[in-house]
Amino acid sequence: AKPKPSVAAAPSREDVDSTFVYSYHEFTEKYADLVEEFMSMREFSRSKEFLMKHGTVLLQEHASNYLLLASLEDEMNGQRDKMKQTAKQCQIISNITELAKSWGTHPGNVIIPFFQRMEQREFLQGFLSGVEAFIQKIISRAVTKKMEIDAQRKSGVTADGVDLNEVPREQRLGPGGLDPLEVIETLPVEMQEAFESREIDRLRDVLMNMDPKDAEYHMKRCVDSGLWKTEA
């Protein structure tokens, strides 16, 4: 009997198009487990070996964003120790990519030099100071994010079932004196849906597609009503 001809696997998008870039959603679907494994590594030696093996994935911007969001989520969930560990790993990636930019080279070429620097007391202390500063930013951002979520809940029924329509209007007013229930009803449907989804990227996309004057007008009303909290 003649051997059956082998069937070649269909080429991936990466194979067909060298400029192909994953969306953030696609990246997390494919590589979340890998990033999570890196997040848990406490020793520099393990992180170095892992980056040498998986740097093409972990040194992507999506990986850095994943670590940043994971740090924020950990803090918001009251997991301070886990947040600090994730923040450290996030800063390893950030420091490597920033060093690569300053040297004008690919981040993969900076992995070994970065960890060699970590063996020097001066550079290690500088790195740890940077990690601590980043941790404080995460803590502050978590507080702000919770305030944003609370403000967004003013557009409907709160988690404990209290209908804000039943709250006296003067108690609902935001910092600019506007009523969030009135403002939410005047927003374009796309903005209302973006607020409801609580996805910052989605809201940003909606604003980018609007006339700049309209976008500015609606966002100012959102801030004045407390639907949106501006960072200090």
Side-chain angles (χ1 to χ4, degrees), residues 70-85:
S71 299
L72 181 59
E73 183 177 355
D74 289 339
E75 177 62 22
M76 293 183 69
N77 290 333
Q79 299 176 309
R80 178 66 58 82
D81 290 341
K82 185 179 179 185
M83 178 274 285
K84 289 182 176 181
Q85 167 61 22

Side-chain angles (χ1 to χ4, degrees), residues 100-118:
K101 287 181 182 179
S102 67
W103 287 2
T105 187
H106 188 277
N109 298 329
V110 183
I111 296 173
I112 292 178
F114 169 77
F115 285 102
Q116 288 177 336
R117 286 188 168 199
M118 291 302 98

Side-chain angles (χ1 to χ4, degrees), residues 4 8 14 35 55 65 71 73 78 94 98 143-144 150 169 172-173 179 181 186 190 197 203-204 206 221 224 227:
K4 295 181 180 180
E14 303 97 302
V35 182
N65 290 336
S71 299
E73 183 177 355
S94 178
E98 288 300 317
V143 172
T144 304
D150 290 340
R169 184 177 184 277
R172 297 198 308 255
L173 298 182
D179 184 344
L181 294 183
T186 67
E190 295 82 359
S197 71
L203 177 60
R204 184 183 296 113
V206 171
R221 285 172 57 79
D224 289 345
L227 282 171

Side-chain angles (χ1 to χ4, degrees), residues 37-62:
E37 185 175 353
F38 176 74
M39 281 167 50
S40 67
M41 296 181 178
R42 298 185 176 277
E43 299 84 10
F44 279 146
S45 58
R46 287 195 63 201
S47 295
K48 173 184 174 182
E49 293 173 2
F50 205 70
L51 283 171
M52 292 295 292
K53 185 176 181 180
H54 303 289
T56 53
V57 173
L58 294 172
L59 294 175
Q60 292 186 37
E61 183 178 358
H62 288 326

Side-chain angles (χ1 to χ4, degrees), residues 2 23 28 45 49 55 64 71 76 91-92 148 172 180 206 215 225 231:
K2 294 182 178 180
S23 68
T28 55
S45 58
E49 293 173 2
S64 181
S71 299
M76 293 183 69
Q91 285 301 285
I92 288 177
E148 290 174 2
R172 297 198 308 255
V206 171
S225 67
E231 294 187 25

Side-chain angles (χ1 to χ4, degrees), residues 162-173 179-181:
V162 177
D163 189 341
L164 288 176
N165 286 288
E166 299 177 359
V167 177
R169 184 177 184 277
E170 60 269 20
Q171 295 181 22
R172 297 198 308 255
L173 298 182
D179 184 344
L181 294 183

Side-chain angles (χ1 to χ4, degrees), residues 160-205:
D160 58 4
V162 177
D163 189 341
L164 288 176
N165 286 288
E166 299 177 359
V167 177
R169 184 177 184 277
E170 60 269 20
Q171 295 181 22
R172 297 198 308 255
L173 298 182
L178 297 185
D179 184 344
L181 294 183
E182 295 176 359
V183 170
I184 195 72
E185 293 177 355
T186 67
L187 297 177
V189 175
E190 295 82 359
M191 282 191 71
Q192 292 185 31
E193 293 175 345
F195 268 105
E196 184 178 355
S197 71
R198 299 180 183 177
E199 295 180 8
I200 304 301
D201 289 340
R202 184 174 177 180
L203 177 60
R204 184 183 296 113
D205 290 341

